[in-house]
Amino acid sequence: GKAYLSRTEPKVLDGRSGEEEEVSYQLYPGHIPTSPLQKALLAAGSAAMALYDPYRHDMVAVLGETTGCLALPSLRDKMKHHPEGYRILQERPRIRLSTLDMARLRGLPPGSLGREYVRFLEDNKVSPDTRVPPKFVDDEELAYVIQRYREVHDLMHTLLGMPTNMLGEIVVKWFEAVQTGLPMCVLGGAFGPVRLSTRKLQVLATQLVPWAIRSGCNASCILNVYYEQRWEQPVESLREEIGILPPP
Amino acid sequence: AAAVLCPVRTPLAHRGGTLRELCGFLRGLAAGPETHFGFQTVTEAERREKIYQVFESVAKKYDVMNDSMTLGIHRIWKDIFVRKMNPSPGTLLLDVAGGTGDIAFRFLNYVRSVRERQLQWKLRQQQNLSWQEISETYQEDKVKSLGDSRVVVCDINKEMLKVGKQKAQHLGYSEGLSWVLGDAEELPFDDAKFDVYTIAFGIRNVTRIDLALREAYRVLKPGGRFLCLEFSHINNPLLSRLYDLYSFQVIPVLGEIIAGDWKSYQYLVESIRRFPPQEELKAMIEDAGFFKVDYQNLNAGIVAIHSGFKL
């Protein structure tokens, strides 16, 4: 009859006493605490899966989270020491369809950041709501930093003028690699091109990547720009302000 | 080594703990008795809902995940299970929580090959008969490749049944197979209908195991057999630690990478720990009225087959 309720508590071994309390140590909604071994396995597995199936964006996200333990704190510090970045960390703005006033942005003059961003979203048929929330970052503030990086990614496409095809994504990855130092960007930039044709590889290697790297080095930290307050600013002026060089 | 395995912790979560407990208690009074979902404590209603969602989410990748987690060994376990069943043609099998059809297909293959051997033996016997006698047997004996064996696959989850039906179509199984949506704790079948009742890797997910066992007893014919294949407990301490390490460190990672679903596989490894060990399950089966209850450990107890008869 009720035998299953009366059984003794499961044996608690060293490894498992950690697991038993895991659920109560969620640092933010969606957080899954992981051991260093699990992070290593996740990093290796997600890298392999992302290469095998490039449509698994969640794997790219997991790779970023599990390998970002050095880059994320340094990004957070860069933000803390900059007045606009500091404000972003305090106010934690989110770029989502529910927070954006699409009609107002569409009504802005052409050439402004808001108008070009909406044009980019519509041309490439993407939405800011498809960004995977972080799961494996073990610090609540760093989780926001990586979330912000993901949401700003589409704005990077807009500022660099790159579409969302494989070529465009690789160029943006190189730019972000220089800017953020995230190993995921470096890996993405280095391994992404294996699926490209030689002609595209040539254009990539000779023109686009050097430009992306130069821009990345020249520009100030892209996470330190409060984009939500600059929708009316013309894209050209914002590019100059950040330090992104004109595209080839 | 323990430090490597322990995840990061902060005291943040202790705030608001007592308030949460109070709310949980009040909720519990409303929603029924408490039970477990992996290592969490939930009400029975919540557990049923959560388990339904787990299988809804994993259905499409169920087979791939089984292969990766067990390195294909689950196929051998299921082969041994059906061989132990040793069904003869004409058997009516009820496979509960049979979702994607692994046991059902193996059953059909088995009875088909037994039937083939039967027919071959019969043919050999007929070598010395006259032509008249042979043509008579042809008429009465419309060659039934399955020999009237039938399997009913019953599962509570629509998604799992859907995957099972697609697989059956893809692999070419049509004869002698039917799919029924049903709850193991309350089966939609009459008393004493089936020769064999099987439940493979399903009883762990049932909320009231005692009810499921009683239902199994009810729908079996006298002389019918109950067979259960399930993850169980390892006695050997070294093997047990290695198994724990693999379960908790590797399996949820595999779930995340292959199926994009960490939580379902975390639930899976936790639910294995929560399930009664071999002797306790044997006692529960005996409580339901079965006789000659016995179990066989596979792989040192990672998996066990329990068997009982309705006499």
Side-chain angles (χ1 to χ4, degrees), chain A residues 72-82 89 142 145:
Chain A
L72 284 175
S74 110
L75 262 178
R76 188 254 313 266
D77 290 339
K78 269 195 226 169
M79 288 177 81
K80 261 206 173 125
H81 297 133
H82 186 279
L89 276 178
L142 295 181
V145 172

Side-chain angles (χ1 to χ4, degrees), chain B residues 8 28 65 80 82 122 177-178 235 258 267 270 283:
Chain B
V8 173
M65 279 302 301
I80 296 178
V82 175
K122 234 180 162 175
L177 184 58
S178 45
N235 269 324
I258 298 179
Y267 159 72
E270 291 178 359

Side-chain angles (χ1 to χ4, degrees), chain B residues 60-76:
Chain B
K60 295 205 177 73
K61 296 272 175 124
Y62 186 73
D63 292 325
V64 172
M65 279 302 301
N66 282 348
D67 276 332
S68 349
M69 290 190 291
T70 62
L71 303 170
I73 300 176
H74 73 107
R75 298 170 186 236
I76 301 178

Side-chain angles (χ1 to χ4, degrees), chain A residues 146-219:
Chain A
I146 207 172
Q147 176 87 68
R148 181 76 183 160
Y149 152 75
R150 284 181 193 157
E151 291 175 357
V152 157
H153 177 78
D154 286 336
L155 281 159
M156 288 304 102
H157 273 281
T158 313
L159 285 176
L160 293 170
M162 289 285 128
T164 54
N165 55 20
M166 201 60 182
L167 195 63
E169 291 290 352
I170 294 174
V171 177
V172 179
K173 275 281 163 294
W174 276 102
F175 178 78
E176 286 175 344
V178 176
Q179 277 277 311
T180 63
L182 280 168
M184 177 264 285
C185 299
V186 178
L187 288 170
F191 286 100
V194 298
R195 290 173 175 264
L196 287 178
S197 64
T198 20
R199 188 174 51 86
K200 286 193 178 158
L201 269 174
Q202 217 187 4
V203 174
L204 197 66
T206 53
Q207 295 183 342
L208 294 172
V209 171
W211 163 68
I213 298 180
R214 274 200 315 270
S215 282
C217 294
N218 191 42

